[in-house]
Amino acid sequence: MITLYTYAQSGNCHKVRLFLGLLGLAFEARELNLAQGEHKTEEMLALNPFGQVPVLSDGEKTFSDSQAILVYLARRYGADHWLPLDPEGLAKVTRWLAAAAGEVQYGPAAARVAVIFRGEAPSDDARTRTTRLLQAMSRTLALGEWLAGDQPTIADVAVFPYLSVAHHGLIDLSPFPRVRDWLARVAALPGFVPMPELTPAFADRLATVQAAQTIKAA
Ligand SMILES: N[C@@H](CCC(=O)N[C@@H](CS)C(=O)NCC(=O)O)C(=O)O
């Protein structure tokens, strides 16, 4: 029995939901209220000492960190193409898992947090990192349809969620058609699950920040 401790608006949690969908695996979702600190209880800290979601339990085993969970699920349940084990294939996938925890987290994910959680415009740092990430993705996707190799891997799953909602961080993907085409390719995979809609409170904050930016630009 697989249990996912999750928070619906989190892109890190969505990576796992998405991959469970792509693998066609049944699971129980336990939605935690982060505002009430449900991820910091003794029970949750025993499962993940970092006190963050996502956390995945599979029987007696427990895993945290979205990248680590994708690695576990790929090797435990997935076809080989999701995480190749030859030295070159593994290195290519790991390169993008690192980007998912680094450039994506401090770029588009940080921009989204600023807008929908804090009601602020994204920082220059988040914008600059996002542009650099999108340029790197564009160069990579000029050589093939997927981020690592010629088939979808967990690299694509790990990078997808925050890019799929880039507009929540006021990021415009129109100058990056290869990234948009790649998003569409991921979304066409069998078993695909999209990021959930914004809650009304988050949608309101997005609209307010968007309006303020439009006035500033005028
Ligand atoms: N490296 C971790 C980061 C997880 C993370 O940042 N989780 C956020 C939700 S997106 C969280 O639990 N935030 C609450 C906190 O840090 O207290 C992963 O990829 O799973």
Side-chain angles (χ1 to χ4, degrees), residues 2-187:
I2 296 179
T3 304
L4 176 63
Y5 299 85
T6 184
Y7 171 62
Q9 296 289 330
S10 152
N12 286 319
C13 294
H14 186 66
K15 292 173 201 175
V16 181
R17 269 183 184 272
L18 169 57
F19 197 40
L20 288 165
L22 296 175
L23 294 181
L25 291 173
F27 65 101
E28 183 195 332
R30 296 233 187 120
E31 181 73 20
L32 300 186
N33 186 330
L34 301 196
Q36 289 180 9
E38 286 181 358
H39 54 316
K40 308 281 191 197
T41 61
E42 274 310 310
E43 184 205 349
M44 286 310 300
L45 288 171
L47 297 178
N48 176 13
F50 287 89
Q52 292 186 316
V53 285
V55 174
L56 179 133
S57 293
D58 187 5
E60 297 299 303
K61 302 188 196 86
T62 300
F63 306 92
S64 59
D65 185 88
S66 51
Q67 282 65 237
I69 296 170
L70 295 182
V71 166
Y72 169 74
L73 291 173
R75 294 317 307 172
R76 174 73 181 80
Y77 296 107
D80 282 349
H81 71 85
W82 289 112
L83 180 58
L85 290 184
D86 66 286
E88 187 187 351
L90 187 56
K92 282 186 173 167
V93 172
T94 305
R95 200 275 157 266
W96 285 101
L97 296 184
E103 285 89 344
V104 174
Q105 199 67 40
Y106 298 109
R112 180 173 182 264
V113 165
V115 173
I116 68 165
F117 285 83
R118 297 201 300 269
E120 294 169 2
S123 67
D124 289 345
D125 182 67
R127 287 180 204 261
T128 305
R129 286 172 188 269
T130 302
T131 303
R132 247 177 4 218
L133 167 71
L134 290 167
Q135 286 166 345
M137 290 181 69
S138 245
R139 278 180 182 274
T140 304
L141 293 167
L143 306 173
E145 295 199 325
W146 306 101
L147 289 177
D150 54 9
Q151 293 195 72
T153 67
I154 56 171
D156 301 291
V157 179
V159 175
F160 178 87
Y162 287 111
L163 270 296
S164 75
V165 291
H167 58 287
H168 294 169
L170 308 189
I171 292 156
D172 176 16
L173 294 184
S174 55
F176 300 97
R178 287 191 206 110
V179 174
R180 292 171 56 183
D181 290 350
W182 165 82
L183 286 169
R185 274 195 291 280
V186 175

